[in-house]
Amino acid sequence: MTATPDLGTYQLASPDLLRSTFRRHAAGVAVITARGAAGPVGFTATSLASVSAEPPIVSFGIGTGASSWPAIAETDHVGIHILGEHQGELAATFARSGADRFGAPTAWREGPEGVPVLDDVLAWLVCRVVGRVPAGDHRIVLAEVVLGDPSGSGRPLLYHQGRFNGLRD
């Protein structure tokens, strides 16, 4: 049984309240990739969600100020990569502003529909973008799964309290 919260200590809605609350929510880590006009783009996402099984649709959020947004706003296809606990540095690279995300040591290849596909991930999907829904300073991208490979081995990478972590038994 948990203690009753003290309702006298609440905070009014703010970006800081939302960030502080979601730092306590452990989330799986994915990298979203796309082919851009000037080359491949990608970013780390913890907002990935399964939306529908029939047809298979997923969603993720992206800020409209993100460097990858112009490519995501225009592309027909995206790659979605589920990272393993051994890929914390890869997740950090794709989360870091101004990083050379596709330079060494990132291992990748051009996949179906020209989508950059990362090597050594737990699973990857190529998806066709079917919608971009405005949501404040972000867009929720809806994407229908075209094909993928869920055969990677290992345990998932998680994001919690501002750090990348592995599962604990």
Side-chain angles (χ1 to χ4, degrees):
M1 182 173 210
T2 60
T4 302
D6 178 0
L7 296 180
T9 62
Y10 64 87
Q11 298 176 27
L12 293 176
S14 70
D16 286 340
L17 172 62
L18 188 66
R19 284 187 201 100
S20 294
T21 299
F22 274 85
R23 277 174 135 344
R24 298 177 188 281
H25 174 69
V29 181
V31 167
I32 312 298
T33 61
R35 179 176 51 190
V41 300
F43 64 98
T44 300
T46 57
S47 60
L48 181 65
S50 171
V51 174
S52 169
E54 190 56 47
I57 296 176
V58 298
S59 71
F60 60 87
I62 180 172
T64 56
S67 62
S68 296
W69 170 242
I72 299 296
E74 297 295 325
T75 193
D76 292 330
H77 291 85
V78 294
I80 297 176
H81 308 81
I82 306 300
L83 301 190
E85 65 184 356
H86 63 287
Q87 294 177 304
E89 190 53 42
L90 181 68
T93 297
F94 276 84
R96 196 170 22 255
S97 181
D100 181 6
R101 296 173 179 156
F102 291 91
T106 302
W108 66 282
R109 64 195 178 289
E110 184 174 313
E113 303 297 339
V115 172
V117 175
L118 302 176
D119 290 347
D120 198 30
V121 294
L122 298 186
W124 60 267
L125 301 169
V126 170
C127 303
R128 182 177 60 85
V129 175
V130 295
R132 296 172 184 88
V133 181
D137 62 355
H138 278 60
R139 295 295 181 268
I140 305 302
V141 177
L142 298 167
E144 185 173 359
V145 177
V146 174
L147 56 87
D149 181 358
S151 66
S153 62
R155 296 166 65 132
L157 183 65
L158 300 178
Y159 187 73
H160 181 251
Q161 292 288 22
R163 293 189 359 227
F164 296 112
N165 299 283
L167 283 175
R168 295 189 187 107
D169 291 328

